[in-house]
Amino acid sequence: MRLFAKQLLLSLGILVISITFLAIVLTQAISGYMTNQRKDSLTDSAQRVARSVETVFINVYLHGDINLDPLVTQIENLSDLLGASVVIIYSDFRVLFSGLPGGSIPPIECLEPIMEGESIIIPQGSFQAEGGESLLIAGHPIVFANRVIGAVLVSVSMAELEAAISSMYQITIISLILAALLASILIYFSSETVIRPIRQMNKAAKVIAGGVFENRIPVKTKDEIGQLATQFNTMAESLYNQEQIRRAFISNISHDIRTPLTSMLGFMKAIKDGTAPREKHEYYLDIALTETKRLIKLSNDLLDIHRIQDKEFKLELTHFNINELIRTTIMGFEERVIQKQITVTSRFANQADMVYADKDIIQRCLYNLLDNAIKFTPIVGEITIETTNKGKKIQVSIKDNGCGMTKEEQLNVFDRFFKGDQSRNEDKGSGLGLSIVKEFIRAHGEAITLESIPKKGSTFAFTLTTVEEESL
């Protein structure tokens, strides 16, 4: 079942249960309220009738049979006014006057409390008049000389009350049905609003799974769905960028492999076929050796990336002098530095800065960072390598006065396969060096940072944990 159908059915199910529960509660409340209101009204009416007929009834009780016409007229008028039937009885339960068909009265056991001075309510169903009509009866005693001499009973037909309650039921049910219909419409559109971006993400995900990363989802809200859509777009943008980098990497790596192999193959054929002069053999072999080293470095970089991704490598932590390692690494670039007439300056925080790290890996990091700095430093440029105390850490920074990087390049420079502006790059590398440096530094639990200004240069800096020389 589709998510929209599930969401809609769930919401409608909750609505139906809520409306049903509300209908039951309201109908019970309405029935109870109207019944209690009618009971209170009958009790009040019985009291008023008792006061109205009290004088006449006392004369009848004291003097016997007198003219009851005024009393009958008064009671009939009150009955019409109240919409109820009135019965007057003596204390011995004889009927003086009855407005009920056949002059019937409730059972004596129901009337006994009233003769003890209590107002009573005889609930519906306890007494039925002639014809089987159910009545609701309120009674009030008539008192003379602190003695109950009679009672007034006021009754209404339950059919009338039930009709009124039924009418209220109908109004309530109709109102709830209309509310449910309106709520259902709102639930439908709100569910559609919630599901639409999810549906769009589902479609976009299928497109992305097919290798197309250009699709984006419009973000119209700032709630969790909007945040999810934003994150999805960010993911799609990242995948798109990675795909562009991957394609560029494949193109570059193919070129980087094909070019030296083609060159080596040509030189080897020339030497083997005898077409190359003998005095050029050593020169051609030196070129082939250089290209071989280049291929080995490329394969090592690819192997390092694989090891980092699969977390296969383990650090071999030792104590060593980072200053000495920096000097050794600089010496390895002597020939390139002389060719470009670059001035390399080193400044150390202490004579011997001892650190605790994997020496070979840190040397790889220094090599890649220096190699990168030399690539982008112009002829007669400057490179400064400096160590700085940072509490229990030492910071190593490599600064050049080369072409620098834009903000966008700084955001991507540590990404795998990323390469900056090719027009400023004298050596078409694989784009893996800085990514490897970042992963190696992170493996030590340290951080690497970059500060760069276009046309003014860049500074890469990373930290290492120090160790006191006397503790070794």
Side-chain angles (χ1 to χ4, degrees):
M1 185 181 292
R2 295 173 58 190
L3 180 60
F4 174 75
K6 291 181 179 179
Q7 176 72 17
L8 185 60
L9 289 176
L10 177 61
S11 299
L12 290 177
I14 294 173
L15 176 65
V16 169
I17 293 173
S18 301
I19 291 294
T20 302
F21 176 77
L22 183 61
I24 293 172
V25 171
L26 283 178
T27 52
Q28 293 297 320
I30 290 171
S31 176
Y33 173 78
M34 294 188 68
T35 301
N36 291 332
Q37 190 179 46
R38 182 56 61 93
K39 288 178 180 179
D40 293 340
S41 175
L42 284 178
T43 301
D44 183 65
S45 299
Q47 292 174 354
R48 284 189 290 158
V49 171
R51 287 193 296 268
S52 299
V53 302
E54 191 173 41
T55 302
V56 177
F57 185 82
I58 291 172
N59 288 332
V60 172
Y61 180 78
L62 293 176
H63 305 293
D65 188 16
I66 61 173
N67 185 13
L68 297 179
D69 291 340
L71 176 60
V72 173
T73 302
Q74 188 176 2
I75 291 175
E76 289 177 347
N77 290 336
L78 285 172
S79 298
D80 294 338
L81 180 64
L82 298 172
S85 299
V86 178
V87 177
I88 300 176
I89 60 174
Y90 291 104
S91 58
D92 58 2
F93 305 109
R94 289 181 297 114
V95 178
L96 172 63
F97 173 83
S98 177
L100 294 174
S104 58
I105 62 171
I108 292 176
E109 58 268 19
C110 295
L111 300 176
E112 287 178 347
I114 201 172
M115 297 308 173
E116 296 177 1
E118 298 179 11
S119 294
I120 64 169
I121 290 290
I122 301 176
Q124 63 269 30
S126 298
F127 173 68
Q128 292 181 342
E130 255 184 46
E133 184 180 17
S134 182
L135 300 175
L136 178 64
I137 302 174
H140 189 74
I142 299 174
V143 181
F144 174 70
N146 295 325
R147 188 162 63 93
V148 176
I149 60 174
V152 174
L153 304 176
V154 180
S155 63
V156 292
S157 171
M158 283 303 301
E160 177 187 349
L161 178 60
E162 289 169 354
I165 293 175
S166 177
S167 177
M168 290 300 299
Y169 282 175
Q170 292 177 5
I171 294 173
T172 302
I173 296 300
I174 291 173
S175 299
L176 290 176
I177 291 174
L178 292 176
L181 289 175
L182 178 60
S184 299
I185 294 173
L186 294 176
I187 287 173
Y188 177 86
F189 286 107
S190 64
S191 298
E192 177 66 22
T193 301
V194 171
I195 298 301
R196 186 184 301 113
I198 297 178
R199 189 183 297 122
Q200 291 174 338
M201 280 186 276
N202 184 44
K203 291 181 179 178
K206 291 180 180 179
V207 174
I208 289 175
V212 180
F213 306 106
E214 288 80 4
N215 279 20
R216 300 294 181 270
I217 299 171
V219 180
K220 299 181 180 179
T221 62
K222 295 183 179 180
D223 56 13
E224 288 79 358
I225 295 296
Q227 294 172 11
L228 179 61
T230 301
Q231 292 299 321
F232 186 91
N233 288 339
T234 302
M235 179 198 69
E237 183 68 25
S238 176
L239 289 173
Y240 175 78
N241 293 335
Q242 289 296 325
E243 177 64 13
Q244 298 304 310
I245 292 172
R246 186 189 67 82
R247 291 179 180 179
F249 167 74
I250 292 175
S251 175
N252 293 334
I253 207 71
S254 299
H255 179 271
D256 289 344
I257 293 175
R258 184 176 60 251
T259 299
L261 288 177
T262 302
S263 176
M264 292 165 61
L265 180 62
F267 291 139
M268 295 301 176
K269 281 186 176 181
I271 293 173
K272 183 178 180 180
D273 296 343
T275 55
R278 182 171 294 276
E279 62 272 14
K280 287 285 188 179
H281 285 187
E282 185 175 353
Y283 173 73
Y284 290 155
L285 289 174
D286 286 340
I287 294 177
L289 181 61
T290 300
E291 296 297 341
T292 302
K293 290 179 179 178
R294 182 178 167 191
L295 286 174
I296 291 174
K297 181 182 181 301
L298 179 59
S299 64
N300 286 336
D301 286 345
L302 292 173
L303 181 61
D304 286 336
I305 286 292
H306 174 73
R307 291 170 61 202
I308 291 170
Q309 285 178 334
D310 292 344
K311 302 186 183 300
E312 292 179 355
F313 77 100
K314 293 183 179 180
L315 298 177
E316 296 181 3
L317 302 176
T318 58
H319 302 92
F320 62 91
N321 187 340
I322 186 64
N323 299 346
E324 187 62 35
L325 186 63
I326 291 173
R327 292 191 189 99
T328 302
T329 306
I330 293 174
M331 290 174 60
F333 290 95
E334 183 177 0
E335 184 177 349
R336 288 178 61 189
V337 168
I338 293 173
Q339 288 178 353
K340 295 188 71 171
Q341 302 177 46
I342 296 174
T343 301
V344 179
T345 304
S346 57
R347 300 192 187 100
F348 302 126
N350 304 290
Q351 185 175 2
D353 291 311
M354 303 302 296
V355 297
Y356 185 61
D358 188 313
K359 185 176 181 180
D360 291 337
I361 287 181
I362 296 303
Q363 186 171 28
R364 287 282 307 278
C365 294
L366 289 170
Y367 180 91
N368 286 351
L369 291 173
L370 273 170
D371 179 65
N372 185 76
I374 293 171
K375 286 179 187 177
F376 291 97
T377 299
I379 296 176
V380 197
E382 295 180 0
I383 295 176
T384 301
I385 303 176
E386 184 177 8
T387 61
T388 309
N389 286 325
K390 297 289 183 180
K392 293 184 178 181
K393 295 184 182 295
I394 196 80
Q395 177 176 280
V396 180
S397 59
I398 300 174
K399 180 180 180 181
D400 65 67
N401 66 341
C403 53
M405 283 177 274
T406 64
K407 292 290 185 182
E408 182 179 356
E409 287 176 326
Q410 291 180 53
L411 292 174
N412 300 316
V413 70
F414 290 109
D415 291 344
R416 294 166 187 167
F417 316 131
F418 177 80
K419 300 176 72 173
D421 187 350
Q422 294 294 329
S423 65
R424 301 187 310 215
N425 195 342
E426 68 172 33
D427 182 18
K428 295 181 180 180
S430 62
L432 298 175
L434 293 178
S435 176
I436 292 173
V437 170
K438 180 182 178 181
E439 296 297 335
F440 279 159
I441 296 299
R442 286 178 61 184
H444 282 79
E446 304 293 345
I448 183 169
T449 59
L450 166 64
E451 294 180 3
S452 184
I453 301 175
K455 299 182 181 180
K456 291 188 177 182
S458 304
T459 301
F460 289 87
F462 63 90
T463 57
L464 294 172
T465 301
T466 60
V467 59
E468 296 295 335
E469 192 169 4
E470 56 268 21
S471 66
L472 299 177

